[in-house]
Amino acid sequence: MKAIHIDRFVSNVTDLKPSTIPNPFSKSSQDIHIKITHAAVTHVDLLYAQGLHQNNRRHVQPPFILGTEYAGVVTHSPPSSSFPPGTRVFGGGLGAYAEQICVSEPTIRRVPSQWTNAEACAVGASGAVSYGALISVAQLKAGETVVVLGASGGLGVVAVQIAKAVGARVIAVVGGKEKAEVVRGVGADEVVDYRQEGWEARVKALGNGGEGVDVVYDGIGAVESGIRCLRYRGRLVVVGFAARGGKMENLKVNKILLKGVAVFGYRFGEDSRRDPQRTKDVWDGFMNLVEDGKIRPVIYKEDYWGLEAVSRALEDVRERKAWGRAVIRVCEVEEDTTEQKARL
Ligand SMILES: NC(=O)c1ccc[n+]([C@@H]2O[C@H](COP(=O)([O-])OP(=O)(O)OC[C@H]3O[C@@H](n4cnc5c(N)ncnc54)[C@H](OP(=O)(O)O)[C@@H]3O)[C@@H](O)[C@H]2O)c1
């Protein structure tokens, strides 16, 4: 099969090209084989390709197949599986930039009937990550005001919708007019552009009559700015460092004390390894919102056809052209039933 195979980390993602490698094989008789139809392009993939993610120290070392989120169609599964051949599924795990993947059942979910495979792929695990951070960790409640930093990105556009779905007021922080339109389109009540000087003061002014916001969702690595936006005894959850280019922030901890704020970290993968029940609850909570029609996938407008397009898509994410999720169309789907084809 064709795949983006990493035998050594690259410094330039435009160097990535598909190569032909052996098809994936079952490690257990319970494994499920999937033909991948779509793969998402995430910030994590960008870091994995370059060896810049914390997981590259231990869990993710070459050789590996790049790509962490996909959707596809089951081609082979054990008779006991709840995903018989032909089932449309989406999942997370290394190996998404390939024509096929072989995985264990708990890592995949059925594509909700109202979504295409591309849409399921665009949401992928981002929904569960954002739900876990906002609801399980930061305990966001109806009537509170939350600011989402990195609101136009893959995680951010879902965070905005989750916060709206639980009855919070949402301030989205983005860079640029096109991205402002995107977050307004998914329900943000207020939009602030971080390119304008004094944006933190603008956010603070919008929360609790000028006292500041109740919760900060930080997907970019701007804790000091986030604390400036918070009210006294507010909560901030650190989700990612998309703006830091690998250089971590040095925070003066007196900022935490002076405002009496709580700063949490949330690491979805590690939480899943250490506390699978909590992650299951997070997924269930998020999928309830999906079933209630509260989550609309946001796919970046550019068409990325075939695994050859992975490098261009990663570069567009690196250059911050993309919003929502860039999605690769991995294959043309011909052999499925009319109903499935209509949803792919
Ligand atoms: N905690 C976890 O378990 C977990 C799981 C998955 C991912 N993550 C992390 O979460 C972060 C977001 O991932 P993603 O896939 O959603 O990324 P993404 O789709 O690439 O979005 C990144 C966002 O960051 C914003 N951004 C980038 N540089 C910025 C800057 N200098 N100033 C302000 N905003 C900036 C972009 O906004 P503009 O384009 O508007 O500038 C964009 O909205 C990443 O750091 C990723 O590693 C964490």
Side-chain angles (χ1 to χ4, degrees), residues 284-343:
D284 290 349
F286 175 67
M287 291 311 285
N288 285 341
L289 296 185
V290 171
E291 273 153 37
D292 290 348
K294 299 280 169 71
I295 306 295
R296 187 161 66 78
V298 180
I299 301 178
Y300 181 51
K301 61 188 177 186
E302 195 72 27
D303 182 27
Y304 299 108
W305 162 237
L307 291 168
E308 289 74 12
V310 167
S311 56
R312 180 165 61 92
L314 281 167
E315 185 62 7
D316 286 351
V317 169
R318 196 189 64 76
E319 287 184 343
R320 286 156 59 196
K321 277 191 200 159
W323 34 256
R325 269 287 173 246
V327 172
I328 311 287
R329 289 192 296 126
V330 176
C331 69
E332 293 284 12
V333 182
E334 289 158 5
E335 68 270 36
D336 302 287
T337 65
T338 314
E339 188 276 331
Q340 279 171 346
K341 207 168 155 185
R343 307 300 307 155

Short mmCIF file of all heavy atoms in Angstrom, two decimals, residues 284-343:
data_model
loop_
_atom_site.label_atom_id
_atom_site.label_comp_id
_atom_site.label_asym_id
_atom_site.label_seq_id
_atom_site.Cartn_x
_atom_site.Cartn_y
_atom_site.Cartn_z
N ASP A 284 -18.40 9.74 25.63
CA ASP A 284 -19.86 9.61 25.69
C ASP A 284 -20.52 10.98 25.76
O ASP A 284 -21.50 11.25 25.07
CB ASP A 284 -20.27 8.77 26.92
CG ASP A 284 -19.90 7.30 26.75
OD1 ASP A 284 -19.52 6.90 25.63
OD2 ASP A 284 -19.95 6.56 27.75
N GLY A 285 -19.94 11.85 26.59
CA GLY A 285 -20.50 13.21 26.73
C GLY A 285 -20.46 13.94 25.41
O GLY A 285 -21.45 14.59 24.99
N PHE A 286 -19.34 13.81 24.70
CA PHE A 286 -19.22 14.52 23.42
C PHE A 286 -20.18 13.94 22.39
O PHE A 286 -20.86 14.68 21.68
CB PHE A 286 -17.77 14.46 22.91
CG PHE A 286 -17.63 15.07 21.56
CD1 PHE A 286 -17.83 16.43 21.37
CD2 PHE A 286 -17.35 14.29 20.45
CE1 PHE A 286 -17.76 17.01 20.11
CE2 PHE A 286 -17.27 14.85 19.19
CZ PHE A 286 -17.47 16.21 19.02
N MET A 287 -20.24 12.60 22.31
CA MET A 287 -21.10 11.98 21.29
C MET A 287 -22.58 12.28 21.55
O MET A 287 -23.38 12.33 20.61
CB MET A 287 -20.84 10.47 21.19
CG MET A 287 -19.46 10.11 20.62
SD MET A 287 -18.98 10.96 19.09
CE MET A 287 -19.97 10.12 17.85
N ASN A 288 -22.95 12.52 22.82
CA ASN A 288 -24.34 12.94 23.10
C ASN A 288 -24.62 14.28 22.43
O ASN A 288 -25.70 14.51 21.88
CB ASN A 288 -24.57 13.07 24.60
CG ASN A 288 -24.70 11.71 25.26
OD1 ASN A 288 -24.96 10.73 24.58
ND2 ASN A 288 -24.48 11.65 26.57
N LEU A 289 -23.63 15.18 22.47
CA LEU A 289 -23.83 16.47 21.81
C LEU A 289 -23.95 16.29 20.29
O LEU A 289 -24.74 16.96 19.63
CB LEU A 289 -22.65 17.42 22.10
CG LEU A 289 -22.43 17.85 23.55
CD1 LEU A 289 -21.31 18.88 23.62
CD2 LEU A 289 -23.71 18.44 24.14
N VAL A 290 -23.14 15.36 19.75
CA VAL A 290 -23.21 15.08 18.30
C VAL A 290 -24.61 14.57 17.95
O VAL A 290 -25.24 15.05 17.00
CB VAL A 290 -22.13 14.05 17.90
CG1 VAL A 290 -22.33 13.58 16.45
CG2 VAL A 290 -20.73 14.64 18.09
N GLU A 291 -25.09 13.59 18.74
CA GLU A 291 -26.42 13.02 18.45
C GLU A 291 -27.51 14.09 18.55
O GLU A 291 -28.49 14.05 17.83
CB GLU A 291 -26.72 11.87 19.41
CG GLU A 291 -26.18 10.55 18.88
CD GLU A 291 -25.85 9.56 19.98
OE1 GLU A 291 -26.59 9.52 20.98
OE2 GLU A 291 -24.84 8.84 19.83
N ASP A 292 -27.32 15.06 19.44
CA ASP A 292 -28.31 16.14 19.58
C ASP A 292 -28.15 17.19 18.46
O ASP A 292 -28.81 18.24 18.50
CB ASP A 292 -28.16 16.84 20.94
CG ASP A 292 -28.62 15.93 22.07
OD1 ASP A 292 -29.25 14.90 21.77
OD2 ASP A 292 -28.32 16.24 23.25
N GLY A 293 -27.25 16.97 17.55
CA GLY A 293 -27.06 17.89 16.42
C GLY A 293 -26.37 19.19 16.81
O GLY A 293 -26.50 20.21 16.13
N LYS A 294 -25.60 19.18 17.92
CA LYS A 294 -24.99 20.42 18.41
C LYS A 294 -23.60 20.69 17.81
O LYS A 294 -23.02 21.75 18.04
CB LYS A 294 -24.85 20.36 19.94
CG LYS A 294 -26.18 20.21 20.68
CD LYS A 294 -26.85 21.55 20.79
CE LYS A 294 -28.28 21.51 21.26
NZ LYS A 294 -28.51 21.18 22.60
N ILE A 295 -23.05 19.70 17.08
CA ILE A 295 -21.68 19.86 16.58
C ILE A 295 -21.65 19.80 15.05
O ILE A 295 -22.13 18.84 14.44
CB ILE A 295 -20.74 18.75 17.14
CG1 ILE A 295 -20.81 18.70 18.68
CG2 ILE A 295 -19.31 18.92 16.63
CD1 ILE A 295 -20.30 19.93 19.41
N ARG A 296 -21.12 20.87 14.45
CA ARG A 296 -21.03 20.93 12.99
C ARG A 296 -19.54 20.87 12.59
O ARG A 296 -18.78 21.77 12.97
CB ARG A 296 -21.66 22.25 12.51
CG ARG A 296 -21.77 22.33 11.01
CD ARG A 296 -22.78 23.38 10.60
NE ARG A 296 -22.40 24.75 10.94
CZ ARG A 296 -21.52 25.47 10.24
NH1 ARG A 296 -20.92 24.97 9.20
NH2 ARG A 296 -21.24 26.72 10.61
N PRO A 297 -19.13 19.83 11.87
CA PRO A 297 -17.72 19.74 11.47
C PRO A 297 -17.35 20.91 10.56
O PRO A 297 -18.17 21.37 9.76
CB PRO A 297 -17.65 18.42 10.70
CG PRO A 297 -18.86 17.65 11.14
CD PRO A 297 -19.92 18.67 11.41
N VAL A 298 -16.12 21.40 10.69
CA VAL A 298 -15.66 22.52 9.87
C VAL A 298 -14.45 22.06 9.06
O VAL A 298 -13.38 21.80 9.60
CB VAL A 298 -15.27 23.73 10.75
CG1 VAL A 298 -14.80 24.89 9.88
CG2 VAL A 298 -16.45 24.16 11.62
N ILE A 299 -14.66 21.93 7.74
CA ILE A 299 -13.59 21.43 6.85
C ILE A 299 -13.01 22.61 6.07
O ILE A 299 -13.75 23.38 5.45
CB ILE A 299 -14.15 20.38 5.88
CG1 ILE A 299 -14.75 19.20 6.67
CG2 ILE A 299 -13.05 19.89 4.92
CD1 ILE A 299 -15.36 18.12 5.81
N TYR A 300 -11.68 22.72 6.11
CA TYR A 300 -11.00 23.79 5.36
C TYR A 300 -11.33 23.65 3.87
O TYR A 300 -11.41 22.54 3.35
CB TYR A 300 -9.50 23.71 5.63
CG TYR A 300 -8.70 24.78 4.93
CD1 TYR A 300 -9.06 26.12 5.04
CD2 TYR A 300 -7.59 24.45 4.15
CE1 TYR A 300 -8.33 27.10 4.38
CE2 TYR A 300 -6.85 25.43 3.51
CZ TYR A 300 -7.23 26.75 3.62
OH TYR A 300 -6.51 27.71 2.97
N LYS A 301 -11.48 24.80 3.19
CA LYS A 301 -12.03 24.82 1.83
C LYS A 301 -11.15 24.17 0.76
O LYS A 301 -11.64 23.77 -0.29
CB LYS A 301 -12.29 26.28 1.43
CG LYS A 301 -11.02 27.12 1.44
CD LYS A 301 -11.28 28.59 1.24
CE LYS A 301 -9.98 29.37 1.34
NZ LYS A 301 -10.14 30.80 1.30
N GLU A 302 -9.85 24.04 1.02
CA GLU A 302 -8.93 23.54 0.00
C GLU A 302 -9.15 22.03 -0.24
O GLU A 302 -9.38 21.29 0.71
CB GLU A 302 -7.50 23.76 0.49
CG GLU A 302 -6.43 23.63 -0.55
CD GLU A 302 -6.40 24.79 -1.53
OE1 GLU A 302 -6.83 25.92 -1.18
OE2 GLU A 302 -5.95 24.55 -2.65
N ASP A 303 -9.07 21.60 -1.52
CA ASP A 303 -9.21 20.17 -1.82
C ASP A 303 -7.83 19.52 -1.82
O ASP A 303 -6.94 19.92 -2.58
CB ASP A 303 -9.87 20.01 -3.20
CG ASP A 303 -10.09 18.55 -3.55
OD1 ASP A 303 -10.23 17.72 -2.62
OD2 ASP A 303 -10.12 18.22 -4.75
N TYR A 304 -7.64 18.55 -0.93
CA TYR A 304 -6.37 17.82 -0.87
C TYR A 304 -6.63 16.39 -1.32
O TYR A 304 -7.20 15.59 -0.57
CB TYR A 304 -5.80 17.83 0.56
CG TYR A 304 -5.50 19.21 1.09
CD1 TYR A 304 -6.30 19.78 2.08
CD2 TYR A 304 -4.41 19.95 0.61
CE1 TYR A 304 -6.02 21.05 2.57
CE2 TYR A 304 -4.13 21.22 1.11
CZ TYR A 304 -4.95 21.75 2.08
OH TYR A 304 -4.68 23.01 2.57
N TRP A 305 -6.26 16.10 -2.55
CA TRP A 305 -6.59 14.81 -3.14
C TRP A 305 -5.36 13.88 -3.13
O TRP A 305 -4.32 14.23 -3.67
CB TRP A 305 -7.13 15.01 -4.56
CG TRP A 305 -7.08 13.76 -5.39
CD1 TRP A 305 -6.45 13.60 -6.59
CD2 TRP A 305 -7.68 12.49 -5.09
NE1 TRP A 305 -6.61 12.33 -7.04
CE2 TRP A 305 -7.37 11.60 -6.13
CE3 TRP A 305 -8.43 12.01 -4.01
CZ2 TRP A 305 -7.77 10.28 -6.15
CZ3 TRP A 305 -8.84 10.68 -4.03
CH2 TRP A 305 -8.52 9.84 -5.09
N GLY A 306 -5.50 12.74 -2.49
CA GLY A 306 -4.46 11.71 -2.50
C GLY A 306 -3.37 11.97 -1.46
O GLY A 306 -3.20 13.09 -0.96
N LEU A 307 -2.62 10.90 -1.17
CA LEU A 307 -1.56 11.02 -0.15
C LEU A 307 -0.45 11.98 -0.62
O LEU A 307 0.30 12.51 0.20
CB LEU A 307 -0.99 9.65 0.17
CG LEU A 307 -1.96 8.71 0.92
CD1 LEU A 307 -1.44 7.28 0.95
CD2 LEU A 307 -2.21 9.23 2.34
N GLU A 308 -0.38 12.22 -1.93
CA GLU A 308 0.61 13.18 -2.45
C GLU A 308 0.34 14.58 -1.90
O GLU A 308 1.24 15.42 -1.86
CB GLU A 308 0.55 13.24 -4.00
CG GLU A 308 1.08 12.02 -4.72
CD GLU A 308 0.14 10.81 -4.65
OE1 GLU A 308 -1.03 11.00 -4.22
OE2 GLU A 308 0.58 9.70 -4.99
N ALA A 309 -0.91 14.84 -1.50
CA ALA A 309 -1.28 16.18 -1.03
C ALA A 309 -0.97 16.41 0.46
O ALA A 309 -1.13 17.53 0.96
CB ALA A 309 -2.78 16.42 -1.27
N VAL A 310 -0.50 15.36 1.16
CA VAL A 310 -0.26 15.51 2.60
C VAL A 310 0.76 16.61 2.88
O VAL A 310 0.56 17.46 3.76
CB VAL A 310 0.22 14.16 3.22
CG1 VAL A 310 0.78 14.37 4.63
CG2 VAL A 310 -0.93 13.15 3.25
N SER A 311 1.85 16.64 2.11
CA SER A 311 2.90 17.63 2.40
C SER A 311 2.36 19.06 2.20
O SER A 311 2.63 19.95 3.00
CB SER A 311 4.14 17.39 1.54
OG SER A 311 3.79 17.40 0.19
N ARG A 312 1.55 19.26 1.13
CA ARG A 312 0.99 20.60 0.87
C ARG A 312 0.03 21.00 2.00
O ARG A 312 0.04 22.14 2.49
CB ARG A 312 0.26 20.59 -0.48
CG ARG A 312 -0.38 21.92 -0.87
CD ARG A 312 -0.75 21.93 -2.35
NE ARG A 312 -1.71 20.91 -2.71
CZ ARG A 312 -3.04 21.07 -2.72
NH1 ARG A 312 -3.55 22.24 -2.38
NH2 ARG A 312 -3.84 20.10 -3.08
N ALA A 313 -0.76 20.04 2.45
CA ALA A 313 -1.72 20.34 3.51
C ALA A 313 -1.00 20.66 4.83
O ALA A 313 -1.36 21.60 5.54
CB ALA A 313 -2.66 19.15 3.70
N LEU A 314 0.05 19.88 5.14
CA LEU A 314 0.80 20.16 6.37
C LEU A 314 1.44 21.55 6.30
O LEU A 314 1.48 22.29 7.29
CB LEU A 314 1.89 19.10 6.58
CG LEU A 314 1.42 17.77 7.16
CD1 LEU A 314 2.51 16.71 7.01
CD2 LEU A 314 1.02 17.90 8.63
N GLU A 315 1.93 21.90 5.11
CA GLU A 315 2.55 23.22 4.95
C GLU A 315 1.51 24.33 5.12
O GLU A 315 1.79 25.36 5.73
CB GLU A 315 3.23 23.29 3.57
CG GLU A 315 4.03 24.55 3.29
CD GLU A 315 5.22 24.79 4.22
OE1 GLU A 315 5.54 23.91 5.04
OE2 GLU A 315 5.81 25.88 4.13
N ASP A 316 0.29 24.10 4.62
CA ASP A 316 -0.78 25.10 4.78
C ASP A 316 -1.14 25.28 6.27
O ASP A 316 -1.44 26.39 6.72
CB ASP A 316 -2.03 24.70 3.99
CG ASP A 316 -1.83 24.91 2.49
OD1 ASP A 316 -0.80 25.51 2.10
OD2 ASP A 316 -2.69 24.46 1.71
N VAL A 317 -1.09 24.18 7.01
CA VAL A 317 -1.36 24.28 8.46
C VAL A 317 -0.21 25.01 9.13
O VAL A 317 -0.41 25.90 9.97
CB VAL A 317 -1.57 22.86 9.08
CG1 VAL A 317 -1.60 22.93 10.60
CG2 VAL A 317 -2.88 22.26 8.55
N ARG A 318 1.01 24.67 8.73
CA ARG A 318 2.19 25.31 9.34
C ARG A 318 2.17 26.82 9.09
O ARG A 318 2.48 27.62 9.96
CB ARG A 318 3.49 24.70 8.77
CG ARG A 318 4.73 25.01 9.59
CD ARG A 318 6.00 24.57 8.89
NE ARG A 318 6.24 25.29 7.65
CZ ARG A 318 6.69 26.54 7.57
NH1 ARG A 318 6.99 27.19 8.66
NH2 ARG A 318 6.86 27.12 6.40
N GLU A 319 1.76 27.20 7.88
CA GLU A 319 1.72 28.64 7.52
C GLU A 319 0.47 29.34 8.04
O GLU A 319 0.25 30.51 7.76
CB GLU A 319 1.77 28.79 6.00
CG GLU A 319 3.13 28.48 5.42
CD GLU A 319 3.17 28.74 3.93
OE1 GLU A 319 2.10 28.83 3.30
OE2 GLU A 319 4.29 28.86 3.40
N ARG A 320 -0.40 28.60 8.71
CA ARG A 320 -1.65 29.11 9.29
C ARG A 320 -2.59 29.69 8.24
O ARG A 320 -3.31 30.65 8.49
CB ARG A 320 -1.34 30.13 10.38
CG ARG A 320 -0.85 29.42 11.62
CD ARG A 320 -0.03 30.24 12.50
NE ARG A 320 -0.70 31.42 12.98
CZ ARG A 320 -0.06 32.44 13.52
NH1 ARG A 320 1.25 32.42 13.61
NH2 ARG A 320 -0.73 33.46 13.96
N LYS A 321 -2.57 29.05 7.05
CA LYS A 321 -3.58 29.40 6.04
C LYS A 321 -4.89 28.71 6.40
O LYS A 321 -5.96 29.25 6.19
CB LYS A 321 -3.15 28.84 4.68
CG LYS A 321 -2.18 29.67 3.91
CD LYS A 321 -2.12 29.09 2.50
CE LYS A 321 -0.87 29.52 1.80
NZ LYS A 321 -0.53 28.64 0.69
N ALA A 322 -4.77 27.48 6.90
CA ALA A 322 -5.96 26.65 7.11
C ALA A 322 -6.76 27.11 8.33
O ALA A 322 -6.22 27.73 9.24
CB ALA A 322 -5.55 25.19 7.28
N TRP A 323 -8.04 26.81 8.33
CA TRP A 323 -8.90 26.96 9.52
C TRP A 323 -9.71 25.69 9.63
O TRP A 323 -9.79 24.91 8.68
CB TRP A 323 -9.80 28.18 9.42
CG TRP A 323 -10.30 28.53 8.06
CD1 TRP A 323 -9.86 29.55 7.27
CD2 TRP A 323 -11.34 27.86 7.32
NE1 TRP A 323 -10.56 29.55 6.08
CE2 TRP A 323 -11.47 28.53 6.08
CE3 TRP A 323 -12.16 26.76 7.56
CZ2 TRP A 323 -12.40 28.15 5.10
CZ3 TRP A 323 -13.08 26.37 6.60
CH2 TRP A 323 -13.20 27.07 5.38
N GLY A 324 -10.33 25.47 10.77
CA GLY A 324 -11.02 24.20 10.98
C GLY A 324 -10.04 23.07 10.75
O GLY A 324 -8.89 23.16 11.17
N ARG A 325 -10.47 22.01 10.06
CA ARG A 325 -9.55 20.91 9.76
C ARG A 325 -9.33 20.79 8.26
O ARG A 325 -10.30 20.72 7.50
CB ARG A 325 -10.16 19.59 10.20
CG ARG A 325 -9.83 19.16 11.56
CD ARG A 325 -8.42 18.67 11.76
NE ARG A 325 -8.21 18.45 13.17
CZ ARG A 325 -7.38 19.15 13.93
NH1 ARG A 325 -6.62 20.11 13.44
NH2 ARG A 325 -7.26 18.89 15.21
N ALA A 326 -8.07 20.74 7.86
CA ALA A 326 -7.74 20.32 6.50
C ALA A 326 -7.92 18.81 6.46
O ALA A 326 -7.51 18.10 7.38
CB ALA A 326 -6.30 20.71 6.19
N VAL A 327 -8.57 18.32 5.38
CA VAL A 327 -8.85 16.88 5.28
C VAL A 327 -8.33 16.37 3.94
O VAL A 327 -8.61 16.95 2.89
CB VAL A 327 -10.37 16.61 5.42
CG1 VAL A 327 -10.69 15.15 5.12
CG2 VAL A 327 -10.86 16.97 6.82
N ILE A 328 -7.57 15.27 3.99
CA ILE A 328 -7.05 14.62 2.78
C ILE A 328 -8.08 13.61 2.29
O ILE A 328 -8.56 12.79 3.09
CB ILE A 328 -5.74 13.83 3.09
CG1 ILE A 328 -4.73 14.66 3.89
CG2 ILE A 328 -5.15 13.23 1.82
CD1 ILE A 328 -4.03 15.73 3.13
N ARG A 329 -8.42 13.66 1.00
CA ARG A 329 -9.24 12.57 0.42
C ARG A 329 -8.27 11.50 -0.04
O ARG A 329 -7.53 11.69 -1.00
CB ARG A 329 -10.04 13.10 -0.78
CG ARG A 329 -11.16 14.04 -0.38
CD ARG A 329 -12.08 14.31 -1.56
NE ARG A 329 -11.40 15.00 -2.65
CZ ARG A 329 -11.37 14.56 -3.91
NH1 ARG A 329 -11.95 13.42 -4.24
NH2 ARG A 329 -10.74 15.25 -4.85
N VAL A 330 -8.22 10.40 0.68
CA VAL A 330 -7.19 9.39 0.43
C VAL A 330 -7.53 8.54 -0.78
O VAL A 330 -6.65 8.16 -1.54
CB VAL A 330 -6.99 8.50 1.69
CG1 VAL A 330 -5.99 7.39 1.43
CG2 VAL A 330 -6.53 9.37 2.86
N CYS A 331 -8.82 8.22 -0.98
CA CYS A 331 -9.16 7.38 -2.15
C CYS A 331 -10.52 7.76 -2.69
O CYS A 331 -11.33 8.38 -2.01
CB CYS A 331 -9.15 5.91 -1.75
SG CYS A 331 -10.49 5.46 -0.65
N GLU A 332 -10.75 7.39 -3.94
CA GLU A 332 -12.09 7.45 -4.52
C GLU A 332 -12.82 6.23 -4.01
O GLU A 332 -12.24 5.14 -3.97
CB GLU A 332 -12.04 7.37 -6.05
CG GLU A 332 -11.40 8.55 -6.73
CD GLU A 332 -12.30 9.77 -6.78
OE1 GLU A 332 -13.34 9.78 -6.09
OE2 GLU A 332 -11.94 10.72 -7.48
N VAL A 333 -14.07 6.40 -3.63
CA VAL A 333 -14.78 5.23 -3.11
C VAL A 333 -15.80 4.80 -4.14
O VAL A 333 -16.67 5.56 -4.52
CB VAL A 333 -15.46 5.55 -1.78
CG1 VAL A 333 -16.14 4.33 -1.22
CG2 VAL A 333 -14.42 6.06 -0.82
N GLU A 334 -15.65 3.55 -4.65
CA GLU A 334 -16.53 3.09 -5.73
C GLU A 334 -17.35 1.87 -5.35
O GLU A 334 -18.48 1.72 -5.77
CB GLU A 334 -15.70 2.74 -6.97
CG GLU A 334 -15.12 3.97 -7.63
CD GLU A 334 -13.91 3.65 -8.47
OE1 GLU A 334 -13.59 2.45 -8.59
OE2 GLU A 334 -13.30 4.58 -8.98
N GLU A 335 -16.77 1.03 -4.51
CA GLU A 335 -17.39 -0.29 -4.36
C GLU A 335 -18.43 -0.36 -3.25
O GLU A 335 -18.99 -1.41 -3.01
CB GLU A 335 -16.31 -1.36 -4.12
CG GLU A 335 -15.62 -1.25 -2.80
CD GLU A 335 -14.39 -0.38 -2.88
OE1 GLU A 335 -14.40 0.63 -3.63
OE2 GLU A 335 -13.43 -0.66 -2.18
N ASP A 336 -18.73 0.77 -2.58
CA ASP A 336 -19.66 0.68 -1.46
C ASP A 336 -21.11 0.82 -1.92
O ASP A 336 -21.38 1.19 -3.05
CB ASP A 336 -19.32 1.77 -0.44
CG ASP A 336 -17.91 1.60 0.03
OD1 ASP A 336 -17.66 0.67 0.79
OD2 ASP A 336 -17.05 2.37 -0.42
N THR A 337 -22.01 0.53 -1.02
CA THR A 337 -23.43 0.62 -1.37
C THR A 337 -23.79 2.07 -1.65
O THR A 337 -23.09 2.99 -1.25
CB THR A 337 -24.31 0.14 -0.20
OG1 THR A 337 -24.13 1.07 0.86
CG2 THR A 337 -23.99 -1.25 0.22
N THR A 338 -24.92 2.28 -2.32
CA THR A 338 -25.32 3.64 -2.69
C THR A 338 -25.44 4.53 -1.46
O THR A 338 -24.99 5.66 -1.45
CB THR A 338 -26.67 3.60 -3.42
OG1 THR A 338 -26.60 2.57 -4.37
CG2 THR A 338 -26.98 4.91 -4.08
N GLU A 339 -26.01 3.97 -0.37
CA GLU A 339 -26.20 4.79 0.84
C GLU A 339 -24.85 5.24 1.38
O GLU A 339 -24.63 6.39 1.68
CB GLU A 339 -26.97 3.97 1.89
CG GLU A 339 -27.42 4.76 3.11
CD GLU A 339 -26.36 4.90 4.19
OE1 GLU A 339 -25.49 4.02 4.31
OE2 GLU A 339 -26.37 5.92 4.88
N GLN A 340 -23.91 4.27 1.45
CA GLN A 340 -22.59 4.61 1.98
C GLN A 340 -21.91 5.62 1.08
O GLN A 340 -21.34 6.59 1.53
CB GLN A 340 -21.72 3.36 2.08
CG GLN A 340 -22.02 2.57 3.33
CD GLN A 340 -21.33 1.25 3.30
OE1 GLN A 340 -20.86 0.82 2.27
NE2 GLN A 340 -21.27 0.62 4.44
N LYS A 341 -22.01 5.37 -0.23
CA LYS A 341 -21.32 6.24 -1.19
C LYS A 341 -21.80 7.68 -1.02
O LYS A 341 -21.04 8.62 -1.04
CB LYS A 341 -21.61 5.74 -2.60
CG LYS A 341 -20.54 6.07 -3.59
CD LYS A 341 -20.78 5.28 -4.85
CE LYS A 341 -20.17 5.96 -6.03
NZ LYS A 341 -20.51 5.26 -7.25
N ALA A 342 -23.14 7.78 -0.80
CA ALA A 342 -23.73 9.10 -0.65
C ALA A 342 -23.16 9.84 0.56
O ALA A 342 -23.13 11.06 0.60
CB ALA A 342 -25.23 8.96 -0.51
N ARG A 343 -22.72 9.09 1.57
CA ARG A 343 -22.22 9.72 2.78
C ARG A 343 -20.70 9.87 2.82
O ARG A 343 -20.16 10.37 3.78
CB ARG A 343 -22.63 8.91 4.03
CG ARG A 343 -24.11 8.60 4.12
CD ARG A 343 -24.97 9.84 4.18
NE ARG A 343 -24.54 10.76 5.23
CZ ARG A 343 -24.77 12.06 5.20
NH1 ARG A 343 -25.38 12.62 4.19
NH2 ARG A 343 -24.38 12.83 6.19
#
